[in-house]
Amino acid sequence: MNESPHEIYRQMFECSPIPHLLINADTLEIVDANPAAVDFYGYSRPQLTTLLELCLHSREEILALINQQDCMSFRSLHRHRLGMIRDVDVFFTKFQHDTRHLLLLNVFDVTAQRQRERSLQSVAQNFPNGAIVLFDHDLRYLLADGAGLPDAGLNKADIEGKTLYEVFPPETVAFIEPHYRKALAGEESHQEVPYAGRVYAVYYRPVRDENNRVVAGLAITQDVSLNKQMERALRESEELYRSLVSTMGEGVVMYDCDGYIVMCNTRACQILGLEPDQLKGRTSIDPSWHTIRKDGEPFPGLEHPALVTLKTGQPQRNVIMGVHKPDESWSWISINSEPLMREGQVHGVVVSFSDVTEREMAEEKFEKVFRVNPDAIYIRSLRDDRILAVNEAYLRLSGYQEEEVVGHFTQELNLWVHPHERALVRLLLMEQGEVRDFEAMFRRKDGSIVVGLLSAHKIDLGGEPCLLTITRDISAYKRLEQQKVEFELQTEKLRLLRQFLGDVSHDLKTPLATINVALYVLQKSSDERKKAEQIHILELAAERLESMLDDLLMMLRLDAGVDFEYEQVDVNLLVRGLLAKHRLLSERKEQVVEFLPHAESLMLKIDKVYLRQALRNILVNAQQYTPQGGHIRVRTYQEQRTVVIEVSDNGPGIAASQLPHIFERFYRADQARGSEEGGMGLGLTIAQKIIEAHQGEIEVESQVGRGSTFRLRLPVLLNLYK
């Protein structure tokens, strides 16, 4: 042999009729899949990306199963691309290739077997005076049930999972084992078996899969100690089967080998609008059906599921067909067909179908709503990010033609003006599964910008995960809103300008009047002592004017927007330096200023100049309003991720009615003092704007007669953004 072992194994993998999946054991991604797996799941190889899209188990459940041991099997439910759910037995083997841990999964479709087992169990539980058992090639019981088990001194727990040799005594085993072997060899047989003082008629049958392979044996037992009992049981059993078919929620019809209906249940007659005698003897290609496809085109007779199964022996699943009923109405039905095999030949077909008219009408309504909706709608695949469908409003909003959008990736269109908005929408979808009323900016094909209000929801279309996105163009609304904001801003500016002119004219007149009086005295007086007093008064008035102008300029700069220069600063050192600079005013009023710094350095990335100005305004405010001989305390400390600078005094305090207004421009709690020796009422406003520009806040606590406390809170998190 010239082929390498690797090539031989590769050919075995490719040619195997059993679906094989090669899985990354750590990520559950599909590394490779053979053609049988491609046919089994209905995806192309590139579309088979992860086991989680095929398996109904969660990631945690799958990892728990594969981590138990290196080689084992488990039962699971797997999803076909078209949405069909099938029972499978999964056998896997772990191995390592290079640095990767891999799993080789062999997948066996046992849907039909599971359905048979469930049907057998349902029938067995209602089977009078008898029992049904299912056994495998090792003569191990897979299923045992029936009302006759207790009469024979047996129960399910004593039988299921055990072998024939463990359940029955040797003389019974010797009597029935040959018939078990015959059933597993594909032969039918029956015998009468004496057991536990009774006589049982036992019928043995092989159980075959869809490929006509014998996968198990079936034994049906009946207590025939009295012939009348057996006759009654057979009659009841027949009625039970008929009752089961008659009461099924789906329509069921049986075709003979020539394609004629020979049996139907009540539900089939109801769905098709015919009586049983009208339905029997018809074929699926009867022209009175006027069968059509979903697109309205005629449904060719030779492609009807029943005839396809008769011809090929292959079952058909979920075929949608429109059927014309005698009352001139239409029904949409979803059809499944299953061959009836005898000696390897199709001798009939069982067809089951359900009425999906309401579902189809709902889909048609959705399509109409989708098409005429004034909001822009598009649907894209979450598997490969391709756009699957768009409506007219989307084409108008984006400026593209349908052929330029459908089938293309969303990235090709370059619609998002700000990539971070697109990233945020994806994050919200991952965390919440949907997005509601997200405002974003989009770029049209011609380059113009529109503002949209976007909502997105995950949906399932035929088993494929998709995203439905609805966008409303709010550009005109945003323009009106901006015009309103600009109008309100201009109105507010006019109001503030009027207030400013009124307050400034009043505040500037006071020091100017003082200067004029002092100049007059200087001109008229020859007394040097009086001249010296007036010069000192002039100096104080000039200082007040300079301070007022500084506050005005500072307020203008803050309103215009300041480019702060951030640097690492020790808050304790900043406060200590400021207190030293303003010690003279406190000493003049014989005030005690106490500084209680935090035990460790409090480092913040701040604009030192502006923060010093904010703290100076708070400190000067405390000094001015604290009486002669009063007490001022300054503290620094840290609360979680916040640095706090606290200034407390024992001054007159602020009334509760005034507290909400103290940070307003030109507001003074004590109007009488403000114009004479205070500022213009901008100090606290400036301090607040500076602190808020540093992402912080100012708190105030005050009681009349007991003083006030100002707390400047600055977040340490500020360092992460500067």
Side-chain angles (χ1 to χ4, degrees), residues 313-526:
Q314 298 298 316
Q316 303 295 301
R317 297 284 183 267
N318 299 321
V319 179
I320 303 298
M321 178 187 293
V323 178
H324 186 257
K325 293 166 42 174
D327 63 359
E328 302 300 324
S329 64
W330 285 87
S331 282
W332 290 99
I333 56 177
S334 177
I335 306 171
N336 295 310
S337 61
E338 193 76 29
L340 296 174
M341 309 296 294
R342 179 182 296 163
E343 298 178 354
Q345 299 295 321
V346 180
H347 71 91
V349 176
V350 174
V351 173
S352 63
F353 52 90
S354 55
D355 190 341
V356 294
T357 306
E358 291 186 1
R359 187 188 75 185
E360 292 299 316
M361 292 178 62
E363 291 181 0
E364 184 179 354
K365 289 179 180 178
F366 171 80
E367 184 177 352
K368 290 181 179 178
V369 171
F370 177 82
R371 188 170 56 252
V372 304
N373 198 299
D375 292 333
I377 305 176
Y378 77 91
I379 300 174
R380 68 175 174 87
S381 169
L382 289 175
R383 199 184 310 282
D384 59 9
D385 210 36
R386 289 184 184 273
I387 296 177
L388 304 179
V390 298
N391 68 348
E392 290 294 331
Y394 180 89
L395 300 177
R396 290 195 300 271
L397 178 69
S398 65
Y400 286 91
Q401 298 297 319
E402 185 172 3
E403 60 270 15
E404 297 177 297
V405 177
V406 176
H408 293 265
F409 297 107
T410 55
Q411 295 91 326
E412 296 178 41
L413 304 181
N414 192 28
L415 295 175
W416 293 83
V417 175
H418 303 300
H420 72 274
E421 293 180 345
R422 182 173 186 266
L424 182 55
V425 167
R426 286 180 173 267
L427 180 62
L428 291 171
L429 283 171
M430 290 176 58
E431 293 179 347
Q432 304 175 10
E434 66 175 3
V435 175
R436 292 183 180 274
D437 298 334
F438 184 91
E439 187 175 309
M441 299 178 69
F442 301 98
R443 184 183 294 105
R444 304 178 79 250
K445 182 181 179 180
D446 61 7
S448 59
I449 305 299
V450 296
V451 182
L453 200 62
L454 178 146
S455 296
H457 307 269
K458 291 182 179 179
I459 61 174
D460 185 279
L461 290 181
E464 181 172 0
C466 296
L467 186 71
L468 173 68
T469 302
I470 304 173
T471 304
R472 176 166 296 178
D473 186 355
I474 59 171
S475 303
Y477 170 78
K478 296 300 290 185
R479 287 192 294 269
L480 289 174
E481 187 179 67
Q482 181 62 31
Q483 292 173 1
K484 178 183 177 183
V485 170
E486 291 176 355
F487 175 77
E488 291 176 349
L489 183 60
Q490 293 298 329
T491 302
E492 178 64 13
K493 285 182 178 179
L494 288 173
R495 187 189 68 79
L496 290 175
L497 180 60
R498 293 191 187 97
Q499 180 183 347
F500 168 78
L501 292 175
D503 291 337
V504 167
S505 62
H506 174 269
D507 289 333
L508 291 179
K509 284 179 182 179
T510 300
L512 285 175
T514 301
I515 290 173
N516 288 330
V517 170
L519 288 174
Y520 177 80
V521 172
L522 282 174
Q523 291 173 352
K524 298 298 183 179
S525 176
S526 58

Side-chain angles (χ1 to χ4, degrees), residues 166-340:
E166 295 173 307
V167 174
F168 294 104
E171 60 271 22
T172 303
V173 171
F175 193 68
I176 65 177
E177 183 178 358
H179 289 271
Y180 275 59
R181 299 292 183 188
K182 284 183 180 181
L184 294 172
E187 298 180 32
E188 298 182 3
S189 63
H190 72 277
Q191 66 177 159
E192 291 185 355
V193 180
Y195 183 76
R198 296 171 182 263
V199 179
Y200 292 89
V202 185
Y203 297 84
Y204 303 93
R205 300 286 187 273
V207 178
R208 302 176 185 274
D209 63 10
E210 61 270 18
N211 296 316
N212 205 33
R213 294 176 299 187
V214 177
V215 295
L218 176 68
I220 304 175
T221 69
Q222 185 70 43
D223 186 352
V224 293
S225 301
L226 298 174
N227 289 335
K228 289 186 178 180
Q229 276 187 323
M230 186 179 74
E231 292 174 1
R232 186 172 60 253
L234 289 174
R235 186 170 56 253
E236 291 176 355
S237 176
E238 182 181 355
E239 292 174 354
L240 173 62
Y241 285 123
R242 289 184 177 178
S243 177
L244 286 173
V245 174
S246 176
T247 58
M248 287 181 63
E250 292 183 319
V252 177
V253 297
M254 181 183 295
Y255 291 83
D256 63 15
C257 59
D258 295 321
Y260 289 94
I261 296 174
V262 295
M263 187 277 291
C264 63
N265 69 350
T266 303
R267 183 57 180 152
C269 296
Q270 292 173 346
I271 293 175
L272 299 176
L274 294 170
E275 296 297 327
D277 57 347
Q278 295 175 315
L279 192 54
K280 291 177 183 179
R282 286 201 184 194
T283 68
S284 69
I285 59 175
D286 190 314
S288 64
W289 297 121
H290 299 299
T291 55
I292 58 173
R293 297 184 185 275
K294 290 185 67 173
D295 59 4
E297 293 296 318
F299 204 125
L302 294 180
E303 296 181 19
H304 288 197
L307 295 187
V308 172
T309 300
L310 272 175
K311 181 179 179 180
T312 66
Q314 298 298 316
Q316 303 295 301
R317 297 284 183 267
N318 299 321
V319 179
I320 303 298
M321 178 187 293
V323 178
H324 186 257
K325 293 166 42 174
D327 63 359
E328 302 300 324
S329 64
W330 285 87
S331 282
W332 290 99
I333 56 177
S334 177
I335 306 171
N336 295 310
S337 61
E338 193 76 29
L340 296 174

